């Protein structure tokens, strides 16, 4: 938004100093302290021979004010510039009005395709809070790329293959019922898995206590049967695959309900089971390149010289592992989607696995090996519910919603005026969880704190939603309409200048975020903008003011509300208009 002013400064400084515009332009930036100036030139970056402080003084004295940049003042090795605030304000507010929900968007990624793989729960296991971070961070990254013009594909790579499904099938035969499966597939299959795992553990302990002959005569263990069952799945046994497919289909339908509540959409539901020839091709390529070596019947890739240990690719019984399937998936995805970038949104606990994957792909000599990226994140500590220590995401969302409902009911008069309090409570509850998660850099572990996140004051999700709703209310109550041609020269107060500056920076925030892939950049930005609005609220009024003043102020507030709403949407949240 400052580009027209930067261009004016660049042109004149280049003419005065003899330094090319290509060098001057990146040396001009938005000032850290607006009290000193709007834009600042770092003179040392001009690469001139003389003392930067003396150069700054000389250039500032030679500066000729114009309609765009009204003054220049040297400050040590810097030059601070004052710009025409009316021009800036008009440009910013009219641009927001014209572009609305796409304010700050670019075409930077036009013609490029990115796959964002995130969430990726295990079929037949509950959607626990450990999947929350991948889901909401991945959704943000997906939306962010779309905002920058990328052809973005959101992919859910389900954990739907492996020996555990053999164990689950055996457990269902022993402990499962059709009625419970249909009623709540994920919960029932999880209960079945817990029971059969306990039975397998008890059996193993019992056998361990036997002498060798008795143990040998005991026959196949539950784990032996599970491995055999999974082997039959890999060999294409129709009966085994039919039961597994039913578990998979029912689980996905349940997951979709949770994703709908979170406002998350997936373009592709993939999974380890969907990897076909890519897996066998991966094994063959590893063999042909001499990377695959045998060890006690198993096959592995030795990555010790890269400080990544030995990567097991195939067990001695011929079954594959996660890493093998991930390599096969990478091959098939590139051939199908021809991606320019693929981003894996997976916790930092999987850093080693992803490093092994990326290094193996590189050693295979695949031409797209440099297109892989791992976006990691830390752990959530202290997240528990009234139900106990097994923390399911649905339980957390339900409890958060109920807590918000209790807070809303405390103000009976306002509560009666909310059109759909149940829906609003659900949005506020999710906002509380999401904003706490995204408030700091994603790699940091954080402590989940109910008392803090549900507060309407401070840096919380409910506070941001309240700021948005209050601005919506102002627009409904105003005696004037939003007018993009309002006389913005009337916005001269220091606090209004601060709000305009904040609004103008949103495109820069999006530009910075696509580089760092840090949601906290957006969260901290809208918190600061909301605080600025709060500071102006009691003195910069709309209602009761003359029409021209009211129109200018309403346009500013409307623009701020639009930016906050856009940012909340980017973070995966539905902006609340009344609460």
């Amino acid at each position: 938004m400052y580009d027209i002013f930067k261009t004016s400064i660049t042109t004149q400084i280049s003419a005065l100093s003899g330094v090319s515009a290509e060098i001057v332009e990146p040396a001009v930036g938005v000032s850290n302290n607006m009290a000193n100036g709007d834009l600042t030139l770092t003179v040392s970056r001009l690469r001139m021979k003389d003392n930067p402080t003396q150069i700054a003084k000389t250039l500032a004295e030679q500066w000729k004010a114009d309609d765009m940049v009204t003054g220049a003042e040297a400050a040590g090795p810097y030059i601070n510039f004052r710009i025409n605030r009316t021009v800036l304000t008009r440009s910013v507010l009219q641009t927001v009005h014209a572009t609305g929900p796409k304010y700050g968007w670019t075409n930077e990624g036009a013609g490029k395709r990115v796959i964002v793989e995130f969430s990726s729960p295990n079929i037949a296991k509950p959607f626990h809070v450990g999947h929350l971070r991948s889901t909401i961070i991945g959704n943000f990254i997906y939306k962010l790329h779309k905002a920058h013009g990328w052809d973005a594909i959101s992919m859910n790579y389900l954990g739907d293959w492996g020996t555990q499904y053999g164990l689950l099938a055996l457990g269902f035969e022993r402990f499962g019922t059709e009625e419970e499966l249909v009623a709540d597939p994920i919960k029932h299959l999880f209960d079945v898995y817990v029971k059969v795992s306990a039975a397998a553990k008890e059996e193993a302990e019992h056998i361990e206590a036997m002498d060798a002959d008795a143990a040998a005569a005991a026959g196949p263990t539950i784990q032996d049967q599970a491995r055999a069952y999974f082997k039959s799945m890999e060999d294409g046994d129709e009966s085994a695959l039919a039961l597994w497919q039913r578990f998979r289909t029912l689980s996905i339908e349940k997951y979709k309900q949770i994703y709908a509540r979170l406002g998350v959409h997936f373009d592709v539901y993939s999974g380890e089971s969907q990897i076909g020839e890519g897996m066998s091709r991966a094994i063959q390529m590893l063999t042909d390149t001499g990377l695959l070596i045998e060890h006690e019947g198993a096959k592995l890739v030795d990555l010790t010289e890269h400080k990544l240990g030995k990567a097991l690719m195939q067990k001695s019984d011929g079954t594959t592992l996660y890493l093998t399937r991930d390599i096969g998936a990478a091959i098939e995805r590139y051939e199908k989607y021809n991606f320019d970038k693929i981003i894996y949104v997976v916790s930092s606990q999987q850093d080693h696995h992803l490093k092994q994957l990326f290094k193996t792909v590189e050693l295979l000599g695949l031409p797209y090996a440099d297109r892989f990226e791992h976006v990691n994140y830390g752990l959530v500590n202290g997240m528990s519910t009234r139900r106990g220590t097994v923390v399911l995401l649905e339980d957390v969302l339900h409890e958060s919603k109920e807590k918000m409902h209790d807070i809303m009911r405390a103000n009976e008069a306002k509560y009666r005026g909310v059109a759909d309090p149940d829906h609003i409570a659900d949005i506020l509850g999710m906002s509380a969880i999401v904003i706490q998660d995204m408030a700091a850099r994603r790699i940091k572990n954080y402590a989940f704190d109910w008392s803090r996140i549900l507060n309407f004051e401070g840096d919380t999700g409910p506070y941001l939603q309240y700021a948005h709703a209050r601005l919506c209310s102002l627009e409904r109550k105003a005696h004037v309409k939003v007018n993009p041609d309002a006389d913005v020269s009337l916005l001269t107060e220091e606090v209004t200048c601060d709000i305009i500056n904040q609004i103008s920076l949103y495109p820069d925030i999006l530009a910075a975020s696509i580089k760092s892939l840090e949601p906290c950049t957006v969260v901290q930005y809208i918190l600061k903008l909301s605080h600025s609005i709060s500071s102006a609220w009691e003195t910069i009024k709309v209602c009761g003011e003359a029409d021209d003043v009211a129109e200018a102020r309403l346009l500013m507030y409307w623009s701020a509300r639009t930016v906050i709403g856009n940012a909340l949407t980017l973070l995966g949240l539905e902006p609340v208009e009344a609460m």
Side-chain angles (χ1 to χ4, degrees), residues 293-300 312 314-317:
I293 58 177
E294 288 202 21
H295 178 70
E296 297 180 356
K299 296 180 179 179
L300 54 84
L312 188 61
Q314 193 175 66
K315 294 180 182 179
S316 56
D317 63 2

Side-chain angles (χ1 to χ4, degrees), residues 446-460:
Y446 73 90
F448 188 84
D449 184 352
W450 280 115
S451 63
R452 188 173 70 83
I453 69 169
L454 299 176
N455 201 326
F456 279 86
E457 299 178 358
D459 296 344
T460 66

Side-chain angles (χ1 to χ4, degrees), residues 243-258:
L243 181 62
W244 162 82
Q245 184 62 56
R246 186 142 190 265
F247 292 166
R248 185 181 193 273
T249 301
L250 288 170
S251 295
I252 289 175
E253 290 307 310
K254 179 64 176 178
Y255 286 137
K256 284 183 177 179
Q257 294 174 22
I258 301 173

Side-chain angles (χ1 to χ4, degrees), residues 275-324:
I275 308 307
E277 293 182 358
M279 195 156 48
S280 57
R281 286 168 59 197
I283 292 292
Q284 189 59 53
M285 291 169 69
L286 289 166
T287 302
D288 293 344
T289 54
L291 291 171
L292 201 65
I293 58 177
E294 288 202 21
H295 178 70
E296 297 180 356
K299 296 180 179 179
L300 54 84
V301 173
D302 189 352
L303 299 174
T304 52
E305 69 174 283
H306 305 287
K307 299 181 180 179
L308 294 172
K310 295 178 180 179
L312 188 61
M313 296 291 170
Q314 193 175 66
K315 294 180 182 179
S316 56
D317 63 2
T319 55
T320 55
L321 288 96
Y322 292 123
L323 188 56
T324 326

Side-chain angles (χ1 to χ4, degrees), residues 351-499:
D351 283 358
H352 184 72
H353 172 78
L354 271 298
K355 286 177 181 178
Q356 286 188 329
L357 171 62
F358 297 170
K359 178 55 68 174
T360 304
V361 170
E362 178 189 327
L363 294 175
L364 281 173
L366 298 179
Y368 45 89
D370 61 346
R371 303 184 186 187
F372 293 75
E373 183 173 355
H374 176 204
V375 170
N376 59 6
Y377 52 87
L379 304 178
V380 184
N381 301 315
M383 185 179 273
S384 60
T385 71
R386 297 185 187 107
R387 291 191 180 188
T389 56
V390 177
V391 188
L392 308 184
L393 181 59
E394 278 193 303
D395 289 345
V396 173
L397 293 179
H398 177 74
E399 188 162 342
S400 184
K401 171 184 171 181
E402 288 306 306
K403 285 177 180 287
M404 291 309 311
H405 225 147
D406 290 343
I407 294 171
M408 290 168 63
R409 289 191 189 99
N411 188 331
E412 292 184 16
K414 186 175 287 189
Y415 185 77
R416 285 195 298 269
V418 178
D420 188 350
D422 191 69
H423 179 59
I424 297 301
D426 197 34
I427 293 174
L428 293 178
M430 285 188 286
S431 299
I433 293 169
V434 169
I435 294 302
Q436 173 168 263
D437 189 285
M438 293 181 166
R441 291 177 63 84
R442 51 183 160 73
I443 195 59
K444 290 187 176 181
N445 299 342
Y446 73 90
F448 188 84
D449 184 352
W450 280 115
S451 63
R452 188 173 70 83
I453 69 169
L454 299 176
N455 201 326
F456 279 86
E457 299 178 358
D459 296 344
T460 66
Y463 169 76
L464 289 174
Q465 290 286 10
Y466 175 70
H468 184 270
R470 186 163 67 163
L471 289 167
C472 290
S473 176
L474 173 66
E475 186 181 342
R476 290 191 294 268
K477 294 176 180 177
H479 62 285
V480 293
K481 300 297 182 183
V482 176
N483 178 12
D485 297 318
D487 183 3
V488 296
S489 66
L490 299 171
L491 298 173
T492 58
E493 300 85 358
E494 184 177 343
V495 69
T496 61
C497 289
D498 181 49
I499 292 173

Side-chain angles (χ1 to χ4, degrees), residues 519-568:
C520 66
T521 304
V522 176
V523 171
Q524 294 304 321
Y525 164 77
I526 51 173
L527 284 169
K528 187 175 181 179
L529 175 57
S530 297
H531 290 319
S532 295
I533 293 165
S534 181
S535 298
W537 198 254
E538 294 301 324
T539 55
I540 310 300
K541 296 182 179 296
V542 173
C543 296
E545 298 292 336
D547 286 0
D548 56 351
V549 173
E551 280 190 349
R553 291 177 177 179
L554 182 61
L555 178 61
M556 177 191 71
Y557 282 129
W558 178 90
S559 298
R561 190 265 292 176
T562 298
V563 171
I564 293 172
N566 292 353
L568 288 172

Side-chain angles (χ1 to χ4, degrees), residues 332-350:
E332 292 189 359
R333 287 173 185 177
Y334 183 75
E335 292 176 352
K336 182 173 183 178
Y337 298 106
N338 191 28
F339 56 78
D340 295 278
K341 181 166 64 171
I342 182 167
I343 299 171
Y344 298 80
V345 185
V346 186
S347 86
S348 57
Q349 292 176 306
Q350 297 297 317

